[in-house]
Amino acid sequence: MRQKIVAGNWKMNKLFHEAEDLISAVANEIDDREPDCEVIVCVPSVFLEMAGDYAEESQIRTAAQNVSEHESGAYTGEISAAMLASMDIPYCIIGHSERRKYFGETDDLLLRKTERLLDNSIKPIFCIGEVLKDRESGNHFNIVESQLVNSVFKLNKDEFSNIVIAYEPVWAIGTGKTASPEQAQEMHKFIRGLIEKKYDAETAGKTTVLYGGSCNANNAKELFSQADVDGGLIGGASLVAADFIKIIYSF
Ligand code: PGA
């Protein structure tokens, strides 16, 4: 059985006291009522220490939203994988479409970031997904395949076994336009097939593949019921405790 995950991607939202209120509400709920999934909050880096304190005392787990491709040194404003590891942060988002688009992150750079994380025993939540133009022209499978081939498929099998994949069609992110459960399943199955072809059936069967893009309290159950959808990477709906909690119990 592969690990099911619901991860909240807060992006650049919340002030400190709001962040603490949200984490404590979620942590209390999942400690009272054990969910069928790992629950992760991907918080802005300034909140990682606070979130880590909750992780020590509860079932909640933390993730960073970004990491440097460099090991250490004169890179003002950057955060290294070793720093995250020294704070026991278990996960980090890599390759989110907003970082690809606004910060020019390429497949090659994302591979280097992934390698830094793996060197420090941190699991990357590696995001892939096509833009609307590619979906409309029927090129979406090629795009997703090339994002994998040019980055994480360069890892060996042992390394790859620590990767969580998040399929996030860019046209569905923050737009309220969700992929249908059938569209999500079709792509997740395709991704799992690529992993099997590249590595083997066991690795493919064990890889957690999350769906992201306007997943919310109303549509999570149907999306998560698809055979190859192992949970979600949730943006907007993870900012409201009641909504995020409902998603957590959608399996
Ligand atoms: P959304 O964002 O749920 O607000 O669409 C998902 C994401 O960007 O990870």
Side-chain angles (χ1 to χ4, degrees):
M1 264 285 277
R2 51 186 172 259
Q3 174 78 63
K4 294 190 184 301
I5 294 176
V6 170
N9 175 13
W10 290 11
K11 311 189 181 186
M12 195 173 73
N13 290 296
K14 300 287 178 194
L15 303 180
F16 186 80
H17 65 280
E18 298 166 336
E20 190 156 27
D21 287 350
L22 178 51
I23 291 185
S24 80
V26 176
N28 286 339
E29 187 73 29
I30 62 175
D31 281 358
D32 281 355
R33 221 169 21 122
E34 199 180 325
D36 290 334
C37 61
E38 176 125 291
V39 178
I40 304 173
V41 280
C42 312
V43 301
S45 56
V46 288
F47 301 153
L48 281 170
E49 185 177 0
M50 178 271 288
D53 289 344
Y54 279 90
E56 254 178 48
E57 304 288 323
S58 78
Q59 294 300 310
I60 207 157
R61 296 291 167 258
T62 54
Q65 297 178 6
N66 186 28
V67 72
S68 172
E69 71 274 27
H70 301 291
E71 279 175 22
S72 67
Y75 301 101
T76 300
E78 290 292 273
I79 292 171
S80 73
M83 291 174 189
L84 297 177
S86 73
M87 293 175 67
D88 295 324
I89 307 298
Y91 294 96
C92 180
I93 298 177
I94 291 289
H96 191 280
S97 61
E98 288 150 17
R99 296 219 54 96
R100 292 178 191 256
K101 181 174 173 194
Y102 303 132
F103 302 93
E105 297 195 351
T106 60
D107 291 331
D108 187 53
L109 178 83
L110 298 174
L111 176 62
R112 283 186 280 140
K113 291 188 172 204
T114 299
E115 287 169 340
R116 293 293 80 69
L117 292 175
L118 295 176
D119 289 345
N120 286 279
S121 305
I122 297 170
K123 291 188 177 189
I125 301 174
F126 195 91
C127 304
I128 53 178
E130 80 285 358
V131 297
L132 185 60
K133 175 171 69 65
D134 293 315
R135 168 67 62 169
E136 286 176 344
S137 66
N139 204 26
H140 45 299
F141 292 116
N142 289 337
I143 294 292
V144 163
E145 180 166 5
S146 80
Q147 287 172 337
L148 289 168
V149 167
N150 293 321
S151 59
V152 285
F153 277 7
K154 296 192 176 175
L155 300 170
N156 67 34
K157 191 168 79 170
D158 275 359
E159 291 165 333
F160 186 85
S161 67
N162 291 300
I163 305 276
V164 173
I165 299 287
Y167 168 60
E168 299 205 305
V170 181
W171 47 270
I173 295 177
T175 58
K177 202 172 163 194
T178 324
S180 68
E182 295 73 29
Q183 284 173 321
Q185 169 58 21
E186 184 186 35
M187 183 59 89
H188 282 230
K189 191 171 173 206
F190 174 72
I191 292 167
R192 207 176 297 287
L194 293 175
I195 299 169
E196 176 167 352
K197 215 159 63 181
K198 169 68 193 171
Y199 299 103
D200 55 31
E202 194 194 351
T203 306
K206 281 189 180 158
T207 302
T208 297
V209 185
L210 305 179
Y211 170 78
S214 296
C215 181
N216 60 39
N218 296 324
N219 60 27
K221 205 175 187 69
E222 223 191 328
L223 285 162
F224 296 175
S225 69
Q226 303 300 309
D228 289 290
V229 178
D230 306 314
L233 181 57
I234 319 297
S238 74
L239 299 173
V240 179
D243 289 352
F244 191 53
I245 287 166
K246 193 156 176 221
I247 296 169
I248 291 167
Y249 295 97
S250 293
F251 289 100

